[in-house]
């Protein structure tokens, strides 16, 4: 006998647990009692899902449909259902379903506080960032990065972390750079878009400049005034400062370029030696402290000091010294190596650094090492070291 029977029940197997976005799951739906074999369909909301397979029991009374599902974050709250129908019996359909709860890595975006103009933030103002987070489950930690390094809460230095906000009080130009926020939940870490904090400031002297310039009477010295500023400096004032008086340089004696100015100065008498001062200006204002450049009569450099031997082998040796005053001019360093008994020059090397090395020397040779500095006005007094290359192993063992 052939019976036509509607489904007795439809049931999703297992528990309705949260699913992780972009992971693959197999979900089973059991249908019992339908004859002939039921038509089983899967739905996500009003969209039919077709990535399924079926198996039927030997007696034909039970059919199991298995759905392969890769949920996305957008599936959160949608109704996943399994429906069984007997096409021979009208309105015979039964279904079971779950409301989807989708876990995902936090989605994070970063923005400046709404009352801030990101294109015009000056030193000294307070800046705050808002970290906007979409997360399921909710985050257990929000952290911040500045140029890739973790930002820590330090109210004493003006750094305040509060919930999803970062507050920087009285910002300095050192606070400029890329900021991100990172939100963490059990699914992973989500990092925001990078936001560049552009801090405007009046010009300041660029650190590390040489500010002692040696020049002879009647010689032209070119003095470069290097500054840091945002936006770049475009206007400059130069003054020569001598006892109780200062004289402005004519604008045709210096250039004015973004970030630096080069003055040409010619001392004629001994009274023309002293200090040149450079002020730079940008759209925020003029620097408060000028960059000083001391103009002195140029001379020979001072001797090198604190010299010691380094990397001494059978065929090479090195010398490391501390440089003396350069005489107000660019200097370089020379090392001459002589064979002691006959005073024959064995090597001559030079470098802009007072660390010099020679190679290709004979083993076990007594040597006189002479080191001195040189600039355009001449050379310094020499520093002499008596030494030798190491003896070869055969000579050391007497073989």
């Amino acid at each position: 006998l052939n019976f036509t029977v509607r489904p007795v029940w439809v049931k999703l197997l297992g528990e309705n647990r949260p699913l992780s976005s972009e992971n693959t799951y197999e979900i089973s739906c059991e249908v019992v009692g339908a004859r002939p074999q039921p038509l089983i369909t899967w739905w996500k909301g009003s969209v039919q899902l077709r990535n399924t397979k079926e198996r039927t029991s030997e007696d034909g009374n039970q059919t199991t449909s298995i759905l392969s599902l890769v949920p996305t974050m957008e599936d959160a709250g949608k109704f996943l259902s399994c429906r069984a129908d007997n096409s021979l019996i009208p309105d015979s359909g039964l279904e079971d379903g779950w409301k989807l709860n989708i876990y995902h890595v936090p989605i994070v975006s970063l923005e400046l506080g709404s009352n801030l103009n990101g294109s015009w933030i000056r030193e000294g103002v307070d800046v705050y960032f808002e970290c906007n987070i979409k997360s399921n489950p909710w985050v257990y930690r929000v952290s911040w990065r500045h140029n890739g390094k973790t930002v820590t809460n330090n109210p004493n230095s003006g750094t305040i972390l509060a919930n999803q906000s970062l507050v920087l009080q009285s910002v300095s130009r050192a606070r400029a750079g890329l900021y991100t926020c990172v939100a963490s939940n059990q699914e992973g870490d989500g990092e925001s878009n990078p936001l560049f904090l552009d801090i405007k400031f009046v010009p300041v002297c660029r650190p590390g400049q040489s500010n002692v310039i040696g020049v002879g009477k009647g010689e032209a010295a070119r003095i470069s005034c290097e500054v840091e500023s945002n936006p770049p400096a475009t206007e400059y004032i130069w003054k020569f400062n001598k006892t109780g008086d200062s004289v402005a340089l004519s604008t045709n004696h210096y250039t004015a370029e973004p970030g630096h100015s080069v003055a040409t100065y010619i001392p004629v008498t001994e009274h023309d030696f002293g200090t040149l001062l450079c002020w730079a200006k940008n759209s925020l204002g003029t620097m408060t402290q000028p960059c000083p450049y001391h103009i002195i009569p140029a001379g020979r450099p001072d001797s090198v000091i604190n010299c010691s031997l380094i990397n001494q082998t059978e065929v090479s040796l090195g010398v490391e010294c501390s440089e003396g005053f350069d005489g107000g001019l660019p200097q370089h360093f020379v090392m001459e190596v002589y064979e002691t008994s006959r005073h024959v020059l064995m090597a001559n090397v030079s470098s802009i650094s007072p660390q010099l090395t020679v190679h290709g020397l004979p083993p076990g040779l007594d040597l006189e090492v002479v080191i001195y500095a040189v600039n355009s006005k001449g050379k310094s007094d020499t520093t002499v070291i008596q030494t030798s290359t190491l003896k070869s192993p055969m000579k050391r063992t007497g073989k």
Side-chain angles (χ1 to χ4, degrees), residues 75-103:
D75 293 333
K78 293 183 179 179
F79 191 72
L80 177 70
S81 61
C82 168
R83 181 177 178 85
D85 290 278
N86 188 329
S87 59
L88 301 178
I89 302 176
D91 300 321
S92 62
L94 292 178
E95 72 174 17
D96 189 22
W98 293 335
K99 184 178 181 180
L100 293 174
N101 183 13
I102 308 299
Y103 281 1

Side-chain angles (χ1 to χ4, degrees), residues 106-162:
I107 306 299
V108 189
S109 64
L110 180 62
E111 60 185 10
L112 276 174
S114 57
N115 64 337
L116 293 172
N117 179 359
S119 63
W120 198 256
I121 294 176
R122 296 188 54 155
E123 275 192 314
V125 305
D126 293 346
V127 173
Y128 67 94
F129 299 90
E130 289 292 341
C131 187
N132 301 310
I133 302 170
K134 180 179 181 181
S135 177
N136 186 31
W138 189 241
V139 298
Y140 61 82
R141 182 180 65 230
V142 177
S143 55
W144 297 82
R145 294 172 183 168
H146 175 214
N147 293 331
K149 296 182 178 179
T150 301
V151 177
T152 57
N153 188 56
N154 189 346
N156 291 333
S157 68
T159 303
I160 301 172
L161 308 183

Side-chain angles (χ1 to χ4, degrees), residues 306-313 316-321 335 337 354-358 361 367-371 384-390:
N306 300 326
C307 293
S308 58
L309 290 169
I310 59 172
N311 301 329
Q312 194 171 8
T313 71
S316 65
L317 60 84
V319 172
E320 186 173 54
C321 304
M335 179 168 71
V337 181
Q355 180 173 322
L356 304 106
T357 302
V358 294
L361 299 171
L367 301 169
E368 181 178 274
V369 181
V370 180
I371 311 104
V384 179
I385 300 175
Q386 302 293 338
T387 186
S388 64
T389 50
L390 300 179

Side-chain angles (χ1 to χ4, degrees), residues 39-58:
L39 172 65
I40 303 175
T41 55
W42 288 86
W43 300 83
K44 184 172 64 180
S46 60
V47 177
Q48 187 173 353
L49 307 176
R50 301 185 183 277
N51 192 10
T52 63
K53 57 186 178 182
E54 291 185 3
R55 61 172 181 261
T56 303
S57 62
E58 291 184 3

Side-chain angles (χ1 to χ4, degrees), residues 19 34 59 78 112-113 140 160 166 192 212 220 237 297 301 312 354 365 372 375 384:
L19 306 179
D59 61 7
K78 293 183 179 179
L112 276 174
Y140 61 82
I160 301 172
L166 167 64
S192 74
V212 178
I237 298 172
Q312 194 171 8
L365 190 66
Y372 55 89
N375 67 15
V384 179

